[in-house]
Amino acid sequence: MTTDHQVAFFLKELETGDTWRRAAAAKGLGKLGDIEHAAVLTRAAADPAPEVREGAAVGLGRLGVHAAGAKVLPALMDDDDPWVRRQASLASLRLGLRDREVVDAYGRLLSDPDHHLRINALDGLWELGVPGDVPALLRLLGDPHPDVWGRARAVVSLCKADPDVEAELVRTARWGADAARVPALWMLPDRHIDPLLPSLVRDLAGGPSSEVRCAVAFRLAHVDRPQARDALFTALAAERDPRVATELLSQLARSGDDRLLEPASRWLGDERAGPSAAAALASVGGKAAARLLRARLTDPATPAPTLAAAATAYGDLGRWDAVWLLLPLLDHAAPEVYEGALRGLDALADTGFRPWERAAVARALVPRLGAHSNLVGVAERVLTGLAEALPGLRQLVDDTPSPLVRATALSLLDPHLATDADTPHDLPLFARHLDDADASVRQAAARGIANRTGSTPS
């Protein structure tokens, strides 16, 4: 059957077929028809059967006649049937319609109960670079569907220079529903924070949801005003919600203010807020903070997240006993505690280990170099420059099945740390791995030979 015969068949079906045959014919005519058939599909868009109206919407999108689409599709986007609305919005997107009526129709779909239609509307507005119905758009910042609120935030960001969008963003940040208010607070331009400061300080003291109060804490922490900083400390002193306390501690930890000491010590025992409290204590420093962190490091009942954060914090403090408290934690069953202890050792390595600590660090860490592949780089930094690690690293090169660990161990065999007696033994070691299947191992081996012989690695 030729294309002309197929088109004639579709035209006949649209006149005499049952509901489903007319719907299929409208879709087929859109695929094979020409501009002259736009009028036929326009008539089909007024069919009493929603299935046929849906088919007409699909057909118009396929036909590609902008004038016909602009005439019919906005009305179909207001159809009583959600499937008709869905196909009409998709057809408008396909045709790239930009008429005022289409923009208004997208704006109305922002409030549609079908989240697929809200997505289509947001996609259309994004393509057009316009916000549509501004209040409806800002309400979607708190939509329960990620695909909706993610697109809504993208459209708001795209249109943030629009005065109406900016004004509605301010209104939502101050009075909107909690779900929309949180992202509005995040997205609010800094110049609007000062006028809202009194109301934000009141909200921080209590009332809204914990999510809103966390967002308020985040914004106030970035306001360079004593009033804002004092409000954060006042709220933290009175806070009873672990989630909000975590946010307050995290935001204030950068200050290193002594006022953190008391609330951080109070929240250090909380399973949720404990990690943030540990980081806050590290920022304050001093004997009191060290004493509190040491107590957590030596308490078997300390939850793993807090123990990990306390280990990193104690390393940051650089206390005299830090190495001896952190090394045993490398054997902890929780991977996060291993990471916390390793990062604490990394902080200590920045200032250099004491002579009596070096061998212990090397013995503890070389066998664990490949314990967690994502932390090999951190372990490499800790071991860099430790001559005491060289014997273990030489053995590890030949014993490990991991190319990543093998390459790292080869890189750590620093010729400046090796003795004259080591060099003859190291050269064959590197040579054995010049043909390794892994490119990073071959490169590390070539660099090792070049460093010892003064040649240029190939």
Side-chain angles (χ1 to χ4, degrees):
M1 183 182 292
T2 66
T3 299
D4 288 342
H5 287 129
Q6 288 178 295
V7 169
F9 174 76
F10 291 145
L11 291 171
K12 181 179 180 181
E13 288 291 290
L14 278 169
E15 295 293 332
T16 62
D18 60 22
T19 297
W20 293 104
R21 293 172 76 90
R22 294 201 310 278
K27 295 175 184 177
L29 189 61
K31 186 175 182 179
L32 298 180
D34 208 338
I35 188 171
E36 63 191 80
H37 301 111
V40 178
L41 291 175
T42 299
R43 289 195 299 273
D47 196 282
E51 295 84 1
V52 179
R53 298 197 299 275
E54 179 190 346
V58 174
L60 285 166
R62 291 174 174 175
L63 194 63
V65 180
H66 284 66
K71 178 181 178 181
V72 173
L73 292 174
L76 290 182
M77 282 194 273
D78 286 326
D79 197 276
D80 291 337
D81 189 279
W83 285 96
V84 177
R85 298 198 298 275
R86 187 182 297 189
Q87 293 301 335
S89 59
L90 289 173
S92 296
L93 280 166
R94 184 170 185 171
L95 291 173
L97 300 180
R98 309 184 65 87
D99 306 77
R100 181 71 256 176
E101 292 79 10
V102 173
V103 174
D104 291 342
Y106 283 143
R108 291 189 293 273
L109 288 181
L110 292 175
S111 301
D112 199 281
D114 184 341
H115 77 277
H116 294 96
L117 282 159
R118 300 198 294 277
I119 289 173
N120 291 350
L122 289 165
D123 285 345
L125 294 172
W126 169 266
E127 291 293 333
L128 298 176
V130 296
D133 184 335
V134 175
L137 172 64
L138 270 292
R139 284 195 296 272
L140 292 185
L141 293 177
D143 196 276
H145 291 273
D147 288 339
V148 176
W149 61 250
R151 284 172 165 82
R153 294 177 196 187
V155 174
V156 170
S157 295
L158 179 69
C159 302
K160 61 184 177 182
D162 185 306
D164 292 335
V165 172
E166 189 167 358
E168 189 65 23
L169 191 61
V170 173
R171 192 205 68 79
T172 304
R174 188 169 185 179
W175 294 298
D178 284 358
R181 193 178 176 197
V182 170
L185 282 165
W186 290 340
M187 300 175 73
L188 194 64
D190 289 342
R191 63 180 175 275
H192 293 295
I193 296 298
D194 257 9
L196 292 179
L197 197 56
S199 65
L200 293 178
V201 169
R202 286 194 299 272
D203 287 340
L204 189 61
S209 66
S210 59
E211 290 84 357
V212 171
R213 290 164 62 213
C214 285
V216 169
F218 174 82
R219 290 315 304 258
L220 289 182
H222 294 81
V223 175
D224 189 19
R225 292 269 299 275
Q227 180 188 356
R229 179 64 58 84
D230 291 345
L232 291 169
F233 277 107
T234 300
L236 179 58
E239 190 54 59
R240 295 294 178 267
D241 185 328
R243 181 172 181 176
V244 181
T246 298
E247 182 68 26
L248 288 166
L249 287 163
S250 298
Q251 294 301 332
L252 290 170
R254 294 170 295 175
S255 69
D257 195 301
D258 288 344
R259 288 179 287 178
L260 277 170
L261 190 60
E262 189 282 326
S265 65
R266 177 163 51 89
W267 285 105
L268 192 58
D270 183 86
E271 187 167 358
R272 181 166 188 170
S276 295
L281 288 171
S283 76
V284 175
K287 292 182 179 179
R291 184 174 63 254
L292 290 165
L293 291 169
R294 189 185 302 115
R296 285 295 159 189
L297 290 172
T298 55
D299 184 354
T302 302
T306 302
L307 187 59
T312 300
Y314 207 70
D316 288 336
L317 291 180
R319 303 297 293 182
W320 65 271
D321 57 348
V323 167
W324 312 114
L325 286 172
L326 297 181
L327 288 181
L329 297 180
L330 296 174
D331 289 322
H332 197 281
E336 59 194 304
V337 176
Y338 171 87
E339 178 175 356
L342 185 60
R343 294 195 182 280
L345 291 169
D346 188 22
L348 293 167
D350 288 341
T351 55
F353 295 109
R354 298 173 179 87
W356 54 88
E357 296 170 338
R358 296 166 63 90
V361 172
R363 283 196 304 271
L365 203 51
V366 169
R368 297 176 177 83
L369 188 57
H372 300 277
S373 58
N374 60 318
L375 296 173
V376 171
V378 183
E380 182 178 9
R381 289 199 301 270
V382 177
L383 290 170
T384 296
L386 290 183
E388 294 81 358
L390 298 183
L393 291 169
R394 292 187 183 99
Q395 182 176 350
L396 187 62
V397 168
D398 285 330
D399 291 347
T400 180
S402 167
L404 175 62
V405 175
R406 193 155 57 249
T408 302
L410 286 168
S411 298
L412 283 167
L413 292 175
D414 189 337
H416 299 293
L417 300 175
T419 67
D420 291 340
D422 291 327
T423 302
H425 301 289
D426 284 348
L427 289 174
L429 175 68
F430 287 118
R432 285 199 297 274
H433 295 283
L434 286 174
D435 295 324
D436 196 279
D438 186 86
S440 62
V441 176
R442 297 195 301 272
Q443 292 168 2
R447 284 195 301 270
I449 291 175
N451 288 337
R452 280 167 170 73
T453 62
S455 60
T456 302
S458 58

